[in-house]
Amino acid sequence: MTPVLSVRNLSRSFGAIRAVDDVSFDLAPGELLALIGPNGAGKSTCFNMLMGQLRPSAGKVLLKGQEITGMRPRRIWRMGVGRTFQITATYASMTVVENVQMALISHYRRIYAPLPYATRLYRDEAMDLLETVGMEDQADRHCAVLAYGDLKRLELATALAHDPFLLLMDEPTAGMAPRERIGLMQLTADILNSKGISVLFTEHDMDVVFAHAHRVMVLNRGQLIANGPVEEIRADPRVQEVYLGGGTVFAAQAAGAHDA
Ligand code: ADP
Ligand code: MG
């Protein structure tokens, strides 16, 4: 089967720093793939190249076999690649359901719909998406008053409004309490599995990674040093050396230390 995403010899330098150095991997349909690594490893740089925010110095990115290297973010998004951000992006002045409606309007390109009409546009579909993430009872609340975990679920609903086949999630559980993280990731994994959406995510919390990823890749100083099933990664001595540093990094991350 053609991989959903293929990355070949992807590199990006900033001056003398090789932020991403000859990275190659495939993402299979329906796979939940985690990209982990210490601070400064190159995770965000890699992500930004996949979404078209940053030009690679070398290498290729293919989406279902079609090269997308150097394409603009909007175009890649139109091809069915969704993204969620470390800093949650919602319109605070709008209600929960309006945020999802906006995402649907954008997806169907009805941006010129007159406003009174827009308030009803795709409301039923938006409510279905809110039900999917368990937020239908909060539909008419303003985003400004939502708890952080609810904002994260809303962000997931707006990403789903675009009907992506691939979702790139940059630290989906950043800033959440440990129990909340597991809950959000469980919900996310269930929805994505049931819809057959493939996912590449970066994540700090190793409990989340080991509980939900199908496969884990480890980036260190721009290079992929390991790529395999969860159990293999957990036992890999190179990973333990780079990543666990005798266990202290693990502990710090579980406590919620932050990525840059
Ligand atoms: P991670 O997300 O794994 O923490 P990053 O991709 O943010 O790592 O950074 C990888 C390396 O590239 C770091 O050394 C960082 O300082 C450097 N870097 C990232 N973005 C830029 C930039 N825009 N200009 C210069 N250096 C950068
Ligand atoms: Mg980062």
Side-chain angles (χ1 to χ4, degrees), residues 39-40 43-45 86 170-171 259-260:
N39 259 339
K43 303 182 296 296
S44 294
T45 303
Q86 192 170 336
D170 196 0
E171 296 207 30
D259 206 339

Side-chain angles (χ1 to χ4, degrees), residues 59-78:
K60 280 186 190 178
V61 182
L62 295 98
L63 204 59
K64 291 182 170 172
Q66 185 189 341
E67 185 163 355
I68 60 161
T69 325
M71 277 187 191
R72 302 187 65 82
R74 184 85 187 163
R75 188 151 167 225
I76 296 172
W77 183 81
R78 282 268 169 237

Side-chain angles (χ1 to χ4, degrees), residues 25-87:
F25 66 89
D26 285 333
L27 176 66
E31 197 173 26
L32 242 89
L33 178 59
L35 179 64
I36 66 170
N39 259 339
K43 303 182 296 296
S44 294
T45 303
C46 192
F47 246 66
N48 290 335
M49 287 192 283
L50 301 182
M51 271 314 276
Q53 266 99 359
L54 192 65
R55 274 188 174 276
S57 309
K60 280 186 190 178
V61 182
L62 295 98
L63 204 59
K64 291 182 170 172
Q66 185 189 341
E67 185 163 355
I68 60 161
T69 325
M71 277 187 191
R72 302 187 65 82
R74 184 85 187 163
R75 188 151 167 225
I76 296 172
W77 183 81
R78 282 268 169 237
M79 291 171 79
V81 183
R83 181 170 190 178
T84 65
F85 295 88
Q86 192 170 336
I87 311 291

Side-chain angles (χ1 to χ4, degrees), residues 191-204:
I191 293 170
L192 301 179
N193 280 332
S194 74
K195 290 181 180 283
I197 300 173
S198 313
V199 186
L200 177 67
F201 71 108
T202 66
E203 177 59 62
H204 243 98

